[in-house]
């Protein structure tokens, strides 16, 4: 479903800067926020939403975003206070951006294209997630390395025989973080990368 989200100039620019840091588009950045924070702020009040809408009504830009049924379902069965889906998601997204702190860049960062070895199960999970949400792998990969490190499980390490080549696009900061974690822990870089991905997917896939 294509929805024209209404965003203040400040929110629009902040989403753009957050996307620059991850090397992804504004629309992918919006979708990532809607998935990551679908539950964290679901108790947002009518007054808080109305406050966001008041700011939007003063001056706004419209961003057309194709939002999948899987993402919309995350917002089903919640209090929308008689707002349309468009207005609710516009206000909710603005509230989320105003209450979260992400790394950002003024200009889009360079992404290096390379290959890594991931388990077939993880490759399948990534493909399914992209199909269901429209969020590219690049978004998940680079966002995962803004999070705290999670040590790999013995099960993951034992999957060496079930690995396939997978193309990835990593920002300079993500590549640097993978290298640092690999050196600190002694785990191969592909294991570090896969564990961060799995940890992120586990927290956002319901």
């Amino acid at each position: 479903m294509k929805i024209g989200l209404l965003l203040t100039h400040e929110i629009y620019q902040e989403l753009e800067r957050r996307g620059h840091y991850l090397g992804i588009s504004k629309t992918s950045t919006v979708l990532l926020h809607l998935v990551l924070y679908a539950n964290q702020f679901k108790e947002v009040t009518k007054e808080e939403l109305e406050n966001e809408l008041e700011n939007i009504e003063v001056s706004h830009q419209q961003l057309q975003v194709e939002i999948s049924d899987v993402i919309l379902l995350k917002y089903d069965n919640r209090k929308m206070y008689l707002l349309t889906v468009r207005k609710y998601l516009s206000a909710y997204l603005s509230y989320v951006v105003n209450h979260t702190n992400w790394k950002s860049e003024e200009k889009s960062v360079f992404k290096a294209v390379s290959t890594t070895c991931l388990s077939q199960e993880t490759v399948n999970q990534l493909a399914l997630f992209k199909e269901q949400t429209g969020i590219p792998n690049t978004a998940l990969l680079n966002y995962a390395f803004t999070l705290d490190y999670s040590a790999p499980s013995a099960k993951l390490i034992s999957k060496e025989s079930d690995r396939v080549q997978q193309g990835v696009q990593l920002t300079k900061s993500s590549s640097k973080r993978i290298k640092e974690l690999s050196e600190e822990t002694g785990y191969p870089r592909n294991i570090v990368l896969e564990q961060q991905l799995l940890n992120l997917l586990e927290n956002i896939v319901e």
Side-chain angles (χ1 to χ4, degrees):
M1 180 180 182
K2 183 163 284 189
I3 298 177
L5 295 175
L6 306 174
L7 309 169
T8 64
H9 183 63
E10 291 74 21
I11 295 295
Y12 188 93
Q13 286 194 316
E14 177 60 19
L15 286 166
E16 189 169 52
R17 288 191 292 266
R18 293 182 182 194
H20 285 336
Y21 184 83
L22 299 178
I24 59 177
S25 67
K26 285 188 293 294
T27 54
S28 292
T29 307
V30 167
L31 294 175
L32 189 58
H33 278 73
L34 291 177
V35 169
L36 289 172
Y37 301 110
N39 293 317
Q40 185 172 336
F41 298 108
K42 66 181 180 180
E43 300 302 327
V44 61
T45 66
K46 179 181 179 182
E47 290 71 26
E48 288 168 329
L49 291 173
E50 286 177 342
N51 182 57
E52 297 296 341
L53 286 173
E54 285 176 9
N55 293 330
I56 288 170
E57 286 171 6
V58 171
S59 177
H60 65 261
Q61 294 172 260
Q62 182 170 282
L63 181 64
Q64 292 287 336
V65 182
E66 187 70 41
I67 304 178
S68 71
D69 291 341
V70 170
I71 294 179
L72 290 175
L73 192 60
K74 292 177 179 289
Y75 292 85
D76 203 14
N77 298 322
R78 69 170 61 188
K79 291 181 180 178
M80 289 199 176
Y81 308 105
L82 301 179
L83 295 174
T84 63
V85 172
R86 180 195 193 195
K87 283 195 171 184
Y88 179 87
L89 290 179
S90 295
Y92 187 82
L93 178 61
S94 295
Y95 182 86
V96 166
V97 173
N98 282 325
H99 289 80
T100 54
N101 184 28
W102 283 33
K103 293 180 179 180
S104 60
E105 288 284 350
E106 290 299 325
K107 295 182 179 180
S108 187
V109 299
F110 172 77
K111 300 187 297 294
V113 179
S114 61
T115 58
T116 189
C117 289
L118 302 177
S119 69
Q120 186 63 60
E121 182 180 349
T122 298
V123 171
N124 293 343
Q125 279 185 264
L126 284 172
L128 180 61
F129 184 80
K130 181 179 179 181
E131 179 185 340
Q132 291 181 335
T133 65
I135 298 174
N137 295 345
T138 300
L140 287 182
L141 282 165
N142 291 299
Y143 178 75
F145 285 95
T146 67
L147 306 176
D148 291 338
Y149 172 67
S150 178
S153 65
K155 180 181 178 182
L156 176 62
I157 297 171
S158 69
K159 289 183 177 179
E160 284 300 326
S161 61
D162 181 36
R163 298 192 174 278
V164 295
Q165 291 285 324
Q166 177 74 15
V168 295
Q169 295 184 52
L170 296 170
T171 62
K172 185 177 180 180
S173 59
S174 293
S175 297
K176 180 181 178 183
R177 183 65 176 146
I178 292 171
K179 181 175 181 292
E180 290 173 347
L181 288 172
S182 178
E183 291 173 350
E184 290 173 11
T185 64
Y187 293 118
R189 296 185 189 186
N190 67 310
I191 294 293
V192 169
L193 184 153
E194 185 166 2
Q195 179 57 35
Q196 286 296 101
L197 264 179
L198 290 175
N199 188 50
L200 175 58
L201 285 168
E202 182 180 326
N203 288 326
I204 61 177
V205 175
E206 296 179 352

